[in-house]
Amino acid sequence: MGTYQHVRFAYRTAPEVGGAPLRRPVAVVGAGPVGLAAAIDLALHGVPSVVLDDNDSVSVGSRAICWSKRTLEIFDRLGVADRMLAKGVTWRIGRVFHRDRELYCFDLLPEGGHKMPAFINLQQYYVEQYLVERALEFPQLIDLRWKHRVAALRPAAGGAALEVDTPDGRYAVQADWVLAADGARSTLRGLLGLPFEGHTFEEKFLIADVQIGADFPSDRRFWFEPVFGQGQSVLIHRQPDNIFRIDFQLGPDADADLEMQPERVMRRVRGVVGPDVPCELDWCSVYSFRCARLDRFVHGRVVFVGDSAHVVSPFGARGGNGGIQDVDNVCWKLAQVLAGRAPERLLESYDAERVHGADENIRNSRRTTAFMTPKTGTEKLFRDGVLALAHDYPFARLLVNSGRLSRPCSLEGLPGFEGDGADLDGPMRPGMPCLDAPVTGGDGAPDWLLRHLGGHFTVLSFAGDIGSLQRLESGLAGAAPDGVQMLAVTPQLLPGGTLQQLVDAEGLVRSRYGGADGVTYLIRPDQHVTARWARPEAAAVGRAWRRSLGEQP
Amino acid sequence: MNASAPSGLRRDDGFGGRGDDFYELLMRAHEGLDEARSAALNARCLLLLANQVGDIEVIRQALDAARASLAPPAQ
Ligand SMILES: Cc1cc2nc3c(=O)[nH]c(=O)nc-3n(C[C@H](O)[C@H](O)[C@H](O)COP(=O)(O)OP(=O)(O)OC[C@H]3O[C@@H](n4cnc5c(N)ncnc54)[C@H](O)[C@@H]3O)c2cc1C
């Protein structure tokens, strides 16, 4: 079963078997989407890593399918988004039904002027394949090792030692840092004896990928108490290759073996797609879900990222998307620490920021599950009440919860982000991930703001005319230390300026960033606003930059 | 508008002297309904009114007050 041709990646004997250990600045354990993305991000920062995976192929069966705008923006920085966009199914509309009536639809990106769509659907195996192929473009920096299973871990001063099992025997790896990207059943979590606490939902779901020979819409469609088939809810997503993901909510008592019988699955599928449409089962599985996270994500020199650190139910597509935001958050920090430009303490901000992100994802996922599975008669009364009112009362639509789809996580209010000064407006408060907008570079070619912001610190200033540009240039002289780029957003190319200009011909950068003349942002390598000023001073910019690097004021 | 402190649950008359009218309306709304339908009506009415109030803090206080007013379960 399955239309995707799984390639086996070549296993290679480790030269270290029976010899001296392998030394690397970073060992990434696990080549799922999170570990692969981390290795690429580190490579873009010039940090070499070894990636160890106990398997030799991409994800079998489709797991993640919905990749969010923020993930795509991060993938764009990593150099893989264009391929994913080309293959993926782009969507932004969700439609919600109750029994046989449509209650409402929602639009996840009602405005233009963004490079990335609200969502694409793309099977996890394609995502991993594209990430592997991208990783192979860094042969000097990324050492990808398939069928290398980490079996032991020993924390050591200034690093950690791993024991790796291969078909040819065991060898040792010594790394300054270990990124534990080994998934929901994390070996490293177990080796460190870390509890993974949370909540398991009793509800069972049948997940079927079906190839359909008919033109169905790309919108996300969700039914509460569908009249077709049995079951409490049904969710459909379109994927590439004419494959549709259908999730059937089976209730807590379903018998997994029985529900997986192909004839039985196809009876349910037929209920959704109709009796005559040609369709074929590509893959199916019965799941129950849990929400859990590690208490801390940083344990000495071992840093947990992705499913090893946190898991959620898939409604809301927050698992993989959350893991990619972990990568975005941690890699630049590791690179700064390894280069000696920041104290090790900087990693504490990864812990605080991504624990916050995981909690947000778990909260959303738990609330969705609660709405989908009323536990008592009273819970059912309120759920039915919300559904009954939703058609006519917009407020009630906001209470209908068929999944709160992954949104970029704001770090507002966390340590290291400066509060706003007076006379600043616009939504881009410190802690917010930057919004995209169209710009043109010096050569006049159409481009996007976010493509200029990632990977390094940026001082981004607004100037409406040459006078204000020159004031900025003299006011900010010396503000940008080595490796910090300075950019000015201008309405048209202003001759005579020395700062690099991004032309904001449509004025969207200005309106999205409240960009009055002189307004200046300091932006982190992960495209989050650190601080902003209406009237910037070089000294204040320098202080904010040092604080974002974990230096104490 | 509200006699008590902002963002606090009011304890005094909010009906402007028309409390009897409200009570009669409430009883009438349930007339002829069996318990299940009455319960459904209450739930929906609560959703509509809670949205009208809008202030989560006031709603939290109302829920706490209602819960505190329940007699403890029989031993
Ligand atoms: C049905 C379903 C639907 C989902 N839908 C979505 C969605 O739409 N959007 C979304 O964002 N997320 C979704 N998710 C979640 C998503 O699949 C996960 O969050 C994602 O796979 C996590 O990636 P990861 O790299 O952290 O872990 P994994 O993908 O689990 O990768 C871990 C890797 O580590 C390797 N490994 C494990 N132990 C060792 C060891 N000891 N030594 C070496 N290697 C090891 C494994 O072989 C594996 O390759 C869904 C999940 C499910 C189950």
Side-chain angles (χ1 to χ4, degrees), chain A residues 381-382 384-386 388-389 393 395, chain B residues 36 39-40 43-44 46-48 51:
Chain A
L381 272 183
F382 282 112
D384 289 348
V386 166
L389 295 172
Y393 295 87
F395 88 86
Chain B
R44 289 161 201 211
L46 187 133
L47 292 168
L48 289 159
N51 179 60

Side-chain angles (χ1 to χ4, degrees), chain A residues 13-28:
Chain A
T13 307
E16 297 82 9
V17 172
L22 171 72
R23 302 194 119 275
R24 280 287 186 280
V26 180
V28 179

